[in-house]
Amino acid sequence: MRFEAPAQSGPSVVFKKTSVTTDAEGNALAYYTTNGKAGEVTIKVYVAQQDPLEVKINTQGGVPDRVATPMYNAVTKLLTTRANRLISDQPELVNRLKGGPQGGIGNPLGFAATGISQSLTAQFETSLRSLMSFKAKDKKTQAEGALANFTAGEVLPDDFQGLDVWASGSFSRAKGYNSKSTVGMLNVGIDYRLDDSAVLGVLGQIDITKQSGDSSTYDADGLGWLVGPYGVFKLADNLFLDGRVAYGQSSNDINPLNTGAKTSFTTRRFLASGQLTGEFMLEGFTVNPFLNVSYLSIKRKELTGPEEYKFEQEDYSLGKAAFGPKVSRSIKLDDGAVLTPYVKVSGIWAFKELDSKIGTTLFGGEEDIHARVDGGFSYATGNGISVSGRGYYDGIGKNQTNAWGGSARVSLGF
């Protein structure tokens, strides 16, 4: 027996399984979700080769819908949170080459924390080469009797060639309306630097996501991984290209309505991204034009668990491109600290965003082009401590969705 529901802007339903096997008496049970709009929907039921039967469904109630819709929402929000972080929290691979022989990691262990209203983020980074450089520099400065102020990496020439192992990670916690999320990500890479012309490596990534609603909705958590090659290339003196591809999977659990009737699902995912980055000096200002493109594909397998919670497998994808310039200026102060104000203007094109089957956009916005403006500063001392602040306004050119905010950050080097 097969069920078919029309796609329409008003009340609509989606069957979790469009084909259902009948029992010995010829009966079939089909579960569906609604888009939250009340009214009648006419569906078609196909039995063998007969003409379809038309059946009217009232979308205002029903136990299957009461249970299944929050369930589908829980799945959607979990995938949304993770997908947006996989895109936005990618490591700055260009620094593995542009940042000098230490891959842009100036301290053997860097730690930073960022706080805004209802949100907290912490990050760290380290590498084997920065640790070795610090140890060599430590011995050098002890011999010179000047351990207090050092610049890690001075002992390595710009045309250094060799192997490096590096790691970075982030942890964030955010609270919104009737929901809160926690996301942790760990990146571990191994690469080989070919003097100052290219870096080739492999990057592995682990992500942990926990999403929850209020006491009457759901809890969800997932563990995933991605692994794949990456490369950074110097195309010209002031132009760099970096890119990566990665494949991975995730395992996820959902507790709908906090009933304890946990159901599970797995996903397969593919991520591809690339970026062009320039760096030019103009009248004392540093201008960094950029163009980056990212594409994420997720294939969700069928949910396992009680029959009323099952959904057929589904494919999602997210594609975004960003382009524009970043302009900054470094000002050296009398005490040796460096103050760097900046402004960044981005054009953002969401060229691939799929709507979920319950009428909400899965990855946070329709396909569109809009602009975003960021501005801020950093203040770096000579002993590995820096303080920064930033503000942004997003959604310029969009009719309904705008966002703005700011944050402060403290970074410590050990």
Side-chain angles (χ1 to χ4, degrees):
M1 188 175 294
R2 185 167 61 87
F3 297 85
E4 183 181 286
Q8 55 191 40
S9 58
S12 63
V13 301
V14 173
F15 289 97
K16 293 191 281 301
K17 284 188 174 183
T18 55
S19 296
V20 180
T21 303
T22 58
D23 58 22
E25 298 179 356
N27 299 315
L29 180 63
Y31 292 92
Y32 60 87
T33 63
T34 77
N35 64 353
K37 297 180 180 180
E40 285 190 345
V41 176
T42 300
I43 67 168
K44 295 181 179 180
V45 182
Y46 294 83
V47 181
Q49 303 299 320
Q50 301 177 23
D51 292 335
L53 302 174
E54 292 190 350
V55 179
K56 294 186 181 297
I57 293 179
N58 189 319
T59 64
Q60 289 182 323
V63 173
D65 178 62
R66 182 185 68 83
V67 176
T69 298
M71 178 65 183
Y72 197 94
N73 278 328
V75 172
T76 300
K77 289 181 178 180
L78 180 66
L79 293 177
T80 299
T81 299
R82 176 184 289 142
N84 283 323
R85 294 303 297 271
L86 288 175
I87 291 290
S88 64
D89 285 3
Q90 296 185 74
E92 288 287 340
L93 294 177
V94 66
N95 289 335
R96 297 300 301 160
L97 182 62
K98 188 169 76 73
Q102 287 182 205
I105 300 178
N107 295 292
L109 178 59
F111 175 81
T114 303
I116 58 177
S117 176
Q118 304 291 314
S119 177
L120 174 66
T121 301
Q123 300 164 320
F124 84 93
E125 61 179 7
T126 187
S127 75
L128 178 61
R129 195 179 298 156
S130 65
L131 291 169
M132 294 173 64
S133 178
F134 172 75
K135 184 177 180 180
K137 185 61 180 177
D138 187 7
K139 291 180 179 179
K140 181 180 177 182
T141 52
Q142 286 187 53
E144 297 172 351
L147 181 60
N149 295 302
F150 69 90
T151 301
E154 285 185 352
V155 296
L156 296 176
D158 289 340
D159 60 354
F160 173 84
Q161 296 190 91
L163 194 68
D164 193 18
V165 179
W166 59 276
S168 66
S170 65
F171 172 85
S172 66
R173 178 170 291 176
K175 185 177 181 181
Y177 178 73
N178 283 342
S179 67
K180 55 184 178 181
S181 65
T182 301
V183 181
M185 302 186 71
L186 174 65
N187 306 301
V188 178
I190 179 170
D191 57 33
Y192 190 88
R193 178 184 172 91
L194 304 171
D195 52 66
D196 63 347
S197 61
V199 170
L200 300 175
V202 176
L203 173 61
Q205 185 176 39
I206 296 175
D207 56 89
I208 300 174
T209 307
K210 183 175 178 59
Q211 188 91 26
S212 62
D214 58 32
S215 59
S216 63
T217 53
Y218 69 95
D219 284 320
D221 58 82
L223 172 64
W225 58 270
L226 283 167
V227 65
Y230 67 88
V232 189
F233 307 93
K234 186 177 182 179
L235 303 182
D237 286 342
N238 300 310
L239 185 63
F240 299 85
L241 170 67
D242 68 84
R244 65 178 290 211
V245 292
Y247 169 83
Q249 299 180 6
S250 72
S251 299
N252 311 271
D253 296 314
I254 307 288
N255 175 13
L257 302 176
N258 287 331
T259 61
K262 185 176 291 187
T263 188
S264 303
F265 68 95
T266 60
T267 69
R268 294 181 179 178
R269 47 198 184 168
F270 172 78
L271 173 66
S273 65
Q275 177 168 288
L276 275 172
T277 306
E279 184 167 290
F280 306 92
M281 298 302 299
L282 181 63
E283 300 293 333
F285 291 88
T286 302
V287 181
N288 296 109
F290 64 91
L291 167 64
N292 63 63
V293 180
S294 296
Y295 176 80
L296 175 65
S297 174
I298 298 176
K299 180 182 289 291
R300 177 182 58 75
K301 297 296 185 179
E302 180 180 291
L303 274 68
T304 62
E307 182 67 29
E308 64 268 27
Y309 300 148
K310 288 186 177 180
F311 293 87
E312 292 182 322
Q313 69 177 27
E314 194 170 1
D315 296 339
Y316 310 101
S317 56
L318 168 63
K320 287 189 177 181
F323 50 91
K326 177 182 178 182
V327 180
S328 62
R329 183 165 187 170
S330 296
I331 305 169
K332 190 170 184 178
L333 305 180
D334 293 338
D335 60 357
V338 178
L339 176 66
T340 306
Y342 73 90
V343 63
K344 179 180 178 182
V345 180
S346 305
I348 301 173
W349 176 29
F351 61 86
K352 187 65 174 177
E353 296 207 35
L354 297 184
D355 290 342
S356 71
K357 291 182 177 179
I358 54 173
T360 60
T361 300
L362 178 63
F363 291 125
E366 299 177 353
E367 299 177 10
D368 68 353
I369 297 179
H370 67 277
R372 169 177 169 141
V373 177
D374 293 75
F377 72 93
S378 65
Y379 175 83
T381 66
N383 56 4
I385 300 176
S386 66
V387 178
S388 62
R390 73 176 183 93
Y392 70 88
Y393 186 84
D394 197 3
I396 300 172
K398 300 183 73 170
N399 294 328
Q400 298 179 345
T401 306
N402 300 101
W404 59 272
S407 64
R409 170 174 171 155
V410 177
S411 179
L412 304 175
F414 299 94

